[in-house]
Amino acid sequence: MTKGAPDRDYDDADVHVRPPQRKAAGVPGVVHGLRDVVDQAGVRRGVKTLRLLNQHSGFDCPGCAWPEPGKPHLAEFCENGAKAVAEETTVRRVDAEFFATHPIGQLATKSDYWLGQQGRLATPMFRDTDADHYEPITWDSALDVIADELAAMDSPGQAAFYTSGRTSNEAAFLYQLFARKLGTNNLPDCSNMCHESSGAALSETIGIGKGSVTLADITDHAELIVVVGQNPGTNHPRMLTALEEAKRRGARIVAINPLPETGLRTFKNPQTVRGVVGKGTQLADLFLPIRVGGDLAFFQAVNRTLVGADERTGDILDHAFINQFTSGFDDAAAAWQELDHDEVTAATGLTSRQIDAFVDEVVRADSTIVCWAMGLTQHKQSVATIREIVNFLLLRGNIGRPGAGACPVRGHSNVQGDRTMGIWEKMPDAFLDRLGEEFGFEPPRAHGYDTVDTIRAMLDGRIRVFMAVGGNFAAATPDSERTADALRSLPLTVHVSTKLNRSHVVPGRRSLILPCLGRTERDVQAGGEQIVTVEDSMSMVHASRGTLPPASEQLRSEVSIISGLARRVLGADDSTPWEEFAAGYGSIRERISRVVPGFDDFERRVDEPGGFALPHPPRDERRFDTVDGRAQFTANDLEVIQVPRGRLILQTIRSHDQFNTTIYGLDDRYRGVRGGRRVVFVNSDDLSELGIDDGASVDLVSEYADEERRAPSFRVVAYPTARGCAAAYYPETNPLVPLDHTAEVSNTPASKSVIVRLEPATHP
Ligand code: SF4
């Protein structure tokens, strides 16, 4: 273990459970965040860095993609933002000596928490063919290894280039350019596993795959804010500040979730007196404990009720908007008439009274915003569900006016920006045309592999080289054992990373770990100090500039690594000025401004405090770039999830001490869990029916198409989940999610609805 890191790995036998917390954040949130910063970075270094977090002259949080207000608070960060900074500014180092004393096989037995706590990667490391140790390697030799393996491929389609949402716009633009100049669209990214369903549904129905609201729509205008399938208290904590501002202005909030998440109940804003010594702010006015996967049926029932009420009064729907801006209303209305009441009840687990209470909130509000996250996007019918939410918004003209709209909240700081830069296996021809024109080549047109298809292609030998910029592919993906087999079968895996993680210890036969700069660190190139840019959930593009000295002199920036590799692979004759790009990122932004719509005058505008908003035709001018230039009502078929007797629907979730697959700590304070992670939350009435005791040790066994997958030894926690629904943390439960269990249309892993049974633990 590295100096300062926890000496022993944790033991889930130590886990203990208390009643869930009723209030989020507050002074405890500050204490927990600062404790990690001081523990990892030290007081002086830590505080110096936190002062610049999410500030105009500072760096963008490497956590989620919640936007900054026009005037950031002095402390414009949350507990989990502080933890993300602690992890990046840690003084712990994973260097050549560490790898010399830790064989890969031994590291593979460690928990994700232990691996992540070891610190920042300090030097390029190489695993030679089937070796059990990583050895130090020079950057030159490392790029040669990759170039040689790519040159040995029969076709460019045998490589896949993965991106995590931490990658900056500049690096993402060069990465997709490099892959396409090589000849492939194999550009899987973490968005494939998170908001791909949102992008697919919104692109079809309103003509753009992004949310249509601004921060001010929430804080200053919305009368009703619906938070569905999202746990902002843990995954987008500064959203609570915006919700509190809305509440204080008189807005109403409805939370729809199988779990009564603390962050949706009461928020104690540590930047206010009432948040420090007072009782805080109650957020949700109405909480609906919906059954997992019940959201499609819910919004169909709501939409039918709204249409029915309008038939009686004529003043519920926005007929002017529907007539002028939409198409497909009649088909959608006809489909709602077919809805079966019992099916709705079975699917939602809610009563008509609960649905009517929601409709009352809707009818009372002139402007409504719907916010959502993974609780909606990782199901078989996620795309249909989000289409139905758009139906809901269109019925009352809740698009393209203040306080109204769709708000998919992104979970990773630049995941939306990466997609805007061209990181997608199926970019539209218009983008590829402009890219080809700008760089004088014909980009490949055949769609590439998304994340799930990449794993399938690895398993049947169609991929030889897998490269990832950021992320933790082995832990973030479904069907963990199959994914691990897929990665291990490859001649070469390459990971550009800041910290040690699971993917490094599930290597290809040859593997490289290339340590890169973090957001908090100064990025100095031949052309001087560089800034990078990111795009948040609300399409705001802004600059990020690090100030700390790099964790190691051997680190390189993402841009420098990609440019160096591209020149090595594409050769001296390639006309692309990779060296110019690496020397000064302004030259990259100049190209972006000519290839990507909305980035004109990029260099000047990104310097403005807070950056600039990208165009969003539905939001800005109620213009819909759809099949017929109108917003689309859709008719969606409902498939109620059938759960055999004695089974539950499991959703995979994060603990409060977690960001994606990064495990900051072993507590889930809000849900009352301490000191461990292998727990499964189940409703106590379900436990009685199943004859299982609270605190029992069980194996989770998923059932899918005659296949079974087992995840051993989870402690049962009686918890007020919706009936028939269970919840447990990923990545521990990703082995239960079948690779083929994906969402229709978006192919996103359906990690939020897996049929499981609980069996007495084989190894208690
Ligand atoms: S809300 Fe998200 S972006 Fe903001 S500080 Fe917290 S983790 Fe970072």
Side-chain angles (χ1 to χ4, degrees):
M1 120 239 135
T2 58
K3 186 166 169 292
D7 52 4
R8 71 177 184 84
D9 207 342
Y10 72 96
D11 181 343
D12 276 298
D14 303 337
V15 71
H16 55 276
V17 178
R18 303 174 182 170
Q21 261 186 240
R22 303 180 65 78
K23 300 187 175 185
V27 172
V30 175
V31 171
H32 283 272
L34 292 183
R35 183 198 60 196
D36 279 27
V37 171
V38 171
D39 180 33
Q40 297 236 28
V43 175
R44 200 167 157 283
R45 178 181 168 80
V47 171
K48 181 172 167 240
T49 312
L50 285 177
R51 281 185 37 247
L52 293 165
L53 177 53
N54 290 333
Q55 300 296 325
H56 291 331
S57 59
F59 63 94
D60 182 69
C61 175
C64 81
W66 188 255
E68 278 71 73
K71 287 198 184 59
H73 299 90
L74 190 63
E76 188 58 49
F77 55 87
C78 72
E79 173 187 347
N80 283 356
K83 291 173 184 170
V85 167
E87 298 261 323
E88 194 176 292
T89 56
T90 180
V91 293
R92 302 169 192 168
R93 296 289 175 269
V94 178
D95 54 18
E97 189 204 336
F98 173 91
F99 285 107
T101 53
H102 292 84
I104 296 170
Q106 180 217 39
L107 290 173
T109 65
K110 296 293 187 182
S111 70
D112 295 284
Y113 170 67
W114 188 91
L115 292 170
Q117 290 299 309
Q118 300 313 304
R120 292 286 303 275
L121 295 161
T123 182
M125 299 299 295
F126 176 52
R127 182 217 192 190
D128 205 344
T129 308
D130 302 333
D132 196 28
H133 277 81
Y134 279 98
E135 306 280 347
I137 186 170
T138 64
W139 277 102
D140 259 351
S141 302
L143 296 182
D144 281 344
V145 167
I146 306 170
D148 295 347
E149 195 65 53
L150 291 173
M153 298 187 306
D154 302 332
S155 82
Q158 293 186 319
F161 299 96
Y162 178 80
T163 308
S164 93
R166 200 183 63 82
T167 306
S168 69
N169 284 339
E170 290 74 13
F173 185 75
L174 293 192
Y175 198 40
Q176 61 85 28
L177 175 62
F178 164 56
R180 292 190 165 110
K181 291 214 94 174
L182 187 71
T184 181
N185 284 314
N186 289 346
L187 288 156
D189 70 333
C190 61
S191 191
N192 296 149
M193 292 183 280
C194 65
H195 272 289
E196 194 71 55
S197 302
S198 306
L202 293 174
S203 299
E204 178 195 343
T205 53
I206 64 170
I208 181 173
K210 301 178 178 183
S212 71
V213 305
T214 65
L215 187 55
D217 282 321
I218 291 180
T219 54
D220 306 347
H221 302 292
E223 293 183 12
L224 176 63
I225 301 165
V226 182
V227 182
V228 51
Q230 186 195 1
N231 177 19
T234 290
N235 304 332
H236 315 95
R238 280 184 303 127
M239 180 173 168
L240 302 191
T241 305
L243 292 177
E244 181 184 47
E245 282 183 49
K247 281 293 301 221
R248 301 189 64 64
R249 175 181 52 73
R252 305 274 294 178
I253 296 176
V254 175
I256 306 171
N257 199 305
L259 294 170
E261 302 288 18
T262 303
L264 294 167
R265 303 171 77 153
T266 302
F267 171 46
K268 298 196 71 169
N269 183 343
Q271 309 220 29
T272 66
V273 176
R274 74 184 285 123
V276 173
V277 294
K279 55 183 181 26
T281 303
Q282 182 204 336
L283 293 180
D285 299 286
L286 174 64
F287 170 63
L288 298 175
I290 198 164
R291 181 173 176 263
V292 166
D295 307 279
L296 173 57
F298 173 78
F299 281 100
Q300 286 177 324
V302 167
N303 292 342
R304 178 182 62 182
T305 308
L306 291 170
V307 171
D310 187 77
E311 281 160 1
R312 289 188 297 279
T313 64
D315 62 359
I316 301 298
L317 306 187
D318 185 338
H319 291 283
F321 174 83
I322 291 172
N323 296 335
Q324 184 180 355
F325 293 106
T326 75
S327 54
F329 173 80
D330 295 341
D331 293 345
W336 293 326
Q337 291 319 313
E338 301 304 311
L339 212 54
D340 176 279
H341 178 270
D342 296 342
E343 263 203 333
V344 168
T345 307
T348 63
L350 300 173
T351 64
S352 301
R353 179 188 293 254
Q354 288 172 308
I355 295 176
D356 291 345
F358 177 74
V359 170
D360 292 346
E361 293 282 353
V362 172
V363 170
R364 274 202 297 270
D366 277 345
S367 54
T368 297
I369 290 176
V370 180
C371 304
W372 71 83
M374 299 314 99
L376 285 194
T377 65
Q378 297 178 331
H379 294 278
K380 186 161 181 260
Q381 290 207 291
S382 286
V383 174
T385 301
I386 295 159
R387 285 199 295 239
E388 201 61 43
I389 286 175
V390 172
N391 284 345
F392 165 73
L393 293 167
L394 296 181
L395 283 175
R396 291 173 57 78
N398 280 308
I399 286 266
R401 60 186 175 84
C407 183
V409 185
R410 310 281 174 158
H412 212 161
S413 54
N414 198 38
V415 64
Q416 186 162 310
D418 294 338
R419 184 55 59 90
T420 303
M421 290 300 119
I423 298 291
W424 195 19
E425 76 279 357
K426 45 179 185 253
M427 281 303 281
D429 279 337
F431 175 90
L432 298 175
D433 292 345
R434 288 190 301 271
L435 187 72
E437 199 182 320
E438 178 65 27
F439 291 96
F441 79 111
E442 177 48 39
R445 301 289 167 159
H447 290 173
Y449 301 136
D450 64 15
T451 296
V452 167
D453 288 344
T454 295
I455 299 168
R456 290 187 180 125
M458 290 176 183
L459 285 167
D460 58 25
R462 285 178 280 131
I463 295 283
R464 293 179 54 84
V465 178
F466 173 79
M467 178 172 177
V469 175
N472 184 1
F473 194 86
T477 46
D479 227 337
S480 311
E481 281 156 33
R482 291 185 74 199
T483 301
D485 292 343
L487 288 165
R488 291 194 189 101
S489 73
L490 301 181
L492 181 66
T493 53
V494 181
H495 295 280
V496 176
S497 306
T498 53
K499 301 190 65 227
L500 185 67
N501 67 40
R502 177 73 45 203
S503 298
H504 303 137
V505 299
V506 182
R509 300 197 55 207
R510 296 197 304 162
S511 184
L512 283 163
I513 303 175
L514 303 179
C516 68
L517 291 175
R519 286 270 177 81
T520 57
E521 293 164 328
R522 289 182 66 215
D523 183 349
V524 180
Q525 303 298 328
E529 198 156 333
Q530 302 300 315
I531 64 164
V532 293
T533 61
V534 293
E535 176 189 342
D536 62 36
S537 289
M538 295 177 181
S539 303
M540 289 296 294
V541 176
H542 59 268
S544 178
R545 46 182 66 80
T547 54
L548 287 177
S552 149
E553 288 169 357
Q554 297 193 57
L555 304 190
R556 289 190 177 181
S557 73
E558 296 166 334
V559 166
S560 165
I561 296 169
I562 294 164
S563 304
L565 176 63
R567 176 58 71 203
R568 195 72 51 108
V569 173
L570 301 172
D573 301 341
D574 177 64
S575 60
T576 311
W578 299 105
E579 296 75 12
E580 180 195 325
F581 290 155
Y585 304 175
S587 60
I588 305 171
R589 289 187 282 275
E590 190 195 332
R591 301 302 192 115
I592 292 172
S593 70
R594 292 203 286 267
V595 172
V596 184
F599 283 83
D600 37 293
D601 202 7
F602 189 2
E603 201 62 11
R604 180 190 62 74
R605 290 199 294 158
V606 84
D607 239 358
E608 288 162 6
F612 61 93
L614 288 174
H616 192 288
R619 174 198 65 206
D620 304 338
E621 51 192 304
R622 286 186 156 180
R623 182 164 56 81
F624 303 97
D625 298 331
T626 59
V627 283
D628 61 4
R630 300 168 76 87
Q632 306 292 302
F633 277 104
T634 52
N636 300 292
D637 299 333
L638 172 65
E639 269 178 48
V640 179
I641 301 175
Q642 302 305 322
V643 182
R645 195 169 172 71
R647 281 29 176 198
L648 300 168
I649 311 175
L650 176 83
Q651 60 165 329
T652 66
I653 58 174
R654 290 184 195 172
S655 78
H656 188 62
D657 261 0
Q658 176 181 353
F659 172 73
N660 285 346
T661 58
T662 300
I663 314 299
Y664 297 137
L666 301 172
D667 300 343
D668 188 2
R669 221 173 52 250
Y670 292 169
R671 300 191 184 108
V673 174
R674 304 274 169 155
R677 294 184 46 84
R678 296 187 85 81
V679 296
V680 59
F681 301 99
V682 182
N683 185 293
S684 46
D685 294 342
D686 289 325
L687 290 176
S688 321
E689 251 178 44
L690 294 166
I692 297 173
D693 295 335
D694 181 17
S697 181
V698 298
D699 289 358
L700 303 180
V701 182
S702 71
E703 302 172 350
Y704 178 81
D706 303 331
E707 297 166 1
E708 295 198 345
R709 291 165 174 77
R710 182 177 296 270
S713 308
F714 285 75
R715 180 193 187 288
V716 169
V717 177
Y719 200 82
T721 68
R723 286 298 307 271
C725 306
Y729 309 136
Y730 72 85
E732 288 83 354
T733 46
N734 280 344
L736 297 169
V737 183
L739 189 61
D740 297 335
H741 183 43
T742 61
E744 294 160 346
V745 182
S746 65
N747 208 25
T748 292
S751 310
K752 289 280 188 284
S753 44
V754 180
I755 305 297
V756 297
R757 67 177 187 269
L758 280 51
E759 288 187 355
T762 36
H763 308 290

